[in-house]
Amino acid sequence: MRVIGLTGGIGSGKSTVTDYLSEKGYAVVDADVLARAVVATGTEGLAAVVARFGETVLLPDGNLDRKALAARVFADEEARAALNALLHGRIARAIKECLAQYRAAGAAVVFLSVPLLLETGMQSETDAVWLVDAAEEERVRRVVARDGLDAEAVRLRLAAQMPSFEKRRYAAETIDNSGAPSELYRAIDTLLEKYGF
Ligand code: ATP
């Protein structure tokens, strides 16, 4: 089984790529989905977060209050490191379990989408990295339109990530998503054909 790591900065189009691949029937493992699953209600992950940060990070219904937690760790580097230490191992384990399930099921290729694939060292789980990329100002425009954030806030988040030109060094393929979605889908199809997936 080949594991293709998909990554890219904020607003580059990772979800658009994985949606397209899923629709075509490819196996996709999405780290964002697993990151939410490890702190779902009733999980040991959520219990660990509450033990460290207190019940104030819970909503009245017992679910994690993501906004409250984000506010707690946003301005406090120590708290952020503690949260990362609690969650990173759990997410990595969940990813490995998903990959093992696809392997056991006989999948020929799995696309593993991880926003911080290169920053966290998860690329060691992959056979090759495909980078999704688009011009910075276009990414800012898309995230502003999607999330209703102001452009400056998006630029700040973007500046905190590894820059695209550095990510490109690790990528076997760079998928340009600066144009229309139809061009993105064509680029993906070309790669799928190139690798015989
Ligand atoms: P994040 O890292 O913030 O989760 P992402 O890399 O998963 O983002 P997407 O959510 O796929 O990126 O794309 C960001 C936004 O831009 C979405 O609203 C998406 O619909 C839109 N988008 C993606 N590709 C294109 C495109 N080629 N043309 C226009 N809009 C696009």
Side-chain angles (χ1 to χ4, degrees):
M1 183 177 87
R2 308 272 298 160
V3 179
I4 303 299
L6 280 175
T7 195
I10 182 168
S12 55
K14 298 175 293 295
S15 303
T16 309
V17 171
T18 52
D19 285 351
Y20 182 67
L21 290 167
S22 295
E23 269 167 36
K24 292 190 78 136
Y26 289 96
V28 168
V29 176
D30 187 333
D32 276 343
V33 173
L34 296 176
R36 285 192 290 274
V38 299
V39 288
T41 306
T43 57
E44 186 221 327
L46 182 58
V49 170
V50 172
R52 171 65 178 74
F53 293 94
E55 304 256 336
T56 53
V57 298
L58 289 180
L59 292 165
D61 65 3
N63 285 318
L64 182 62
D65 185 344
R66 291 173 181 282
K67 279 195 184 141
L69 183 60
R72 283 284 294 279
V73 302
F74 184 67
D76 181 346
E77 213 167 295
E78 204 180 306
R80 196 160 59 237
L83 181 65
N84 283 342
L86 283 178
L87 299 186
H88 180 74
R90 288 183 166 86
I91 298 167
R93 263 198 307 282
I95 288 174
K96 285 178 193 173
E97 278 167 24
C98 277
L99 292 177
Q101 280 169 13
Y102 278 121
R103 194 168 279 119
V109 59
V110 175
F111 293 92
L112 169 62
S113 177
V114 189
L116 299 178
L117 183 76
L118 303 171
E119 292 89 338
T120 57
M122 276 303 295
Q123 90 210 71
S124 61
E125 297 296 321
T126 71
D127 295 297
V129 175
W130 291 6
L131 177 69
V132 188
D133 203 10
E136 254 180 45
E137 277 313 300
E138 186 58 37
R139 287 162 53 198
V140 171
R141 261 196 301 277
R142 288 175 186 170
V143 174
V144 165
R146 185 192 61 189
D147 299 340
L149 294 169
D150 70 277
E152 218 30 63
V154 180
R155 282 196 197 95
L156 269 180
R157 290 181 189 200
L158 209 138
Q161 300 185 331
M162 187 192 283
S164 288
F165 74 85
E166 212 169 305
K167 286 185 176 154
R168 279 173 191 247
R169 283 199 233 137
Y170 300 91
E173 302 290 351
T174 297
I175 304 170
D176 179 35
N177 185 26
S178 294
S182 58
E183 292 172 62
L184 172 68
Y185 301 147
R186 219 170 18 245
I188 299 168
D189 286 339
T190 302
L191 285 180
L192 293 171
E193 200 172 324
K194 172 176 170 182
Y195 289 92
F197 293 152

